[in-house]
Amino acid sequence: MILVDSSVWIDYFNGVSTWQTDLLDNYLSNTPIVIGDLILTEVLQGFRSDKDYHRAKTFLGALSFRRMGGYDMAIQSAQNYRLLRRAGVTVRKTIDIIIATFCIKEDLTLLHDDRDFDPMVPHLHLKAFTKVS
């Protein structure tokens, strides 16, 4: 199962073609995709028209939904942030460390287009898709 970050969903809904959106498009028909509450919020808040918002809400609502937060996730995310900071890695957005920690805990592979996740792969053992040349 995979978790798709809002960075990919936003490009996908905007019709931007990247290797990540192409991969997502291929996986939508045959691979279980998980969406988390934080990602759902990030994606849906960006729609300007009610029509597009409702269409995306219905589409994303058909995916497997998970709550990403809670006490244990908050503690583990803080520990992961501190580990990265000690390794000299600056995490710019708290939500990214929560998403990465969730993927690690749930054994999900992350599909993203956000460089902030890249150092989490070697330091936290985050499983993430990489571009195949």
Side-chain angles (χ1 to χ4, degrees), residues 2-132:
I2 67 171
L3 182 86
V4 180
D5 183 54
S6 58
S7 57
V8 177
W9 282 119
I10 290 166
D11 283 347
Y12 184 80
F13 283 118
N14 285 326
V16 176
S17 181
T18 65
W19 69 265
Q20 293 96 331
T21 57
D22 292 344
L23 188 62
L24 172 59
D25 198 45
N26 288 334
Y27 279 166
L28 279 168
S29 62
N30 61 18
T31 302
I33 296 176
V34 173
I35 188 146
D37 49 5
L38 301 176
I39 294 168
L40 183 62
T41 300
E42 280 190 318
V43 174
L44 291 178
Q45 72 188 5
F47 287 97
R48 295 186 187 274
S49 81
D50 288 344
K51 180 181 177 183
D52 290 340
Y53 166 84
H54 289 293
R55 188 176 294 151
K57 181 179 164 219
T58 299
F59 180 83
L60 295 171
L63 302 175
S64 179
F65 178 82
R66 303 271 179 83
R67 287 183 176 85
M68 299 178 80
Y71 181 83
D72 292 338
M73 189 62 62
I75 297 301
Q76 187 61 55
S77 295
Q79 289 173 343
N80 286 341
Y81 178 91
R82 296 178 76 245
L83 187 149
L84 290 168
R85 187 174 56 196
R86 280 194 304 276
V89 175
T90 301
V91 177
R92 297 181 306 159
K93 296 174 282 190
T94 301
I95 195 168
D96 288 346
I97 195 72
I98 295 169
I99 290 168
T101 301
F102 178 79
C103 285
I104 294 163
K105 182 177 183 271
E106 297 292 319
D107 195 31
L108 300 170
T109 302
L110 179 64
L111 178 61
H112 70 89
D113 189 12
D114 184 337
R115 64 183 170 89
D116 290 332
F117 289 110
D118 293 341
M120 298 181 202
V121 172
H123 291 288
L124 300 178
H125 307 291
L126 171 66
K127 293 190 301 187
F129 288 93
T130 56
K131 183 177 182 178
V132 178

